[in-house]
Amino acid sequence: QALYPQQEIELIQYIDRISKQGLPPSRDMVRRLASQLAQKELGYHWVDRFVQRYPDLLKPKLVTTIDRKRHRADSELKYKLYFELLRDK
């Protein structure tokens, strides 16, 4: 393990705090925070192993990637057209 048990508990508490504020972290954010605590760069799959160690505490809190339909619907051009239509009305 890259972090000591106490560091992992502190990381879980931090994730819980910011999730309660409505800002659940992404897996990349968790990896960067853990890398800072460990004072070394952690691998891409470190977060997966971390979540496996604490599934009940972490799975509901981490942000999942945006699904395909929502990603395709999110378009700057579509927003501009929408607001131009509103303005014209």
Side-chain angles (χ1 to χ4, degrees):
Q1 285 179 237
L3 300 178
Y4 293 109
Q6 182 60 35
Q7 289 175 311
E8 288 191 348
I9 290 169
E10 289 173 15
L11 182 57
I12 291 169
Q13 290 171 344
Y14 177 77
I15 292 168
D16 189 44
R17 250 189 340 269
I18 64 174
S19 294
K20 285 180 181 176
Q21 294 173 355
L23 302 167
S26 66
R27 290 175 178 269
D28 192 47
M29 288 173 61
V30 172
R31 186 175 58 82
R32 285 194 312 258
L33 288 167
S35 292
Q36 289 176 351
L37 286 172
Q39 297 181 347
K40 66 178 181 179
E41 189 65 29
L42 299 178
Y44 179 79
H45 296 288
W46 182 88
V47 175
D48 295 327
R49 293 188 300 274
F50 181 59
V51 171
Q52 285 176 353
R53 286 194 293 279
Y54 305 99
D56 296 336
L57 298 173
L58 294 172
K59 276 191 180 179
K61 300 208 184 327
L62 296 180
V63 173
T64 57
T65 57
I66 191 167
D67 67 21
R68 184 181 200 105
K69 288 180 186 175
R70 290 173 79 191
H71 180 70
R72 287 191 356 221
D74 188 23
S75 165
E76 182 180 350
L77 176 63
K78 291 176 186 176
Y79 287 118
K80 283 182 181 178
L81 291 172
Y82 173 76
F83 285 109
E84 284 175 12
L85 284 171
L86 281 178
R87 185 185 49 195
D88 291 343
K89 298 254 175 197

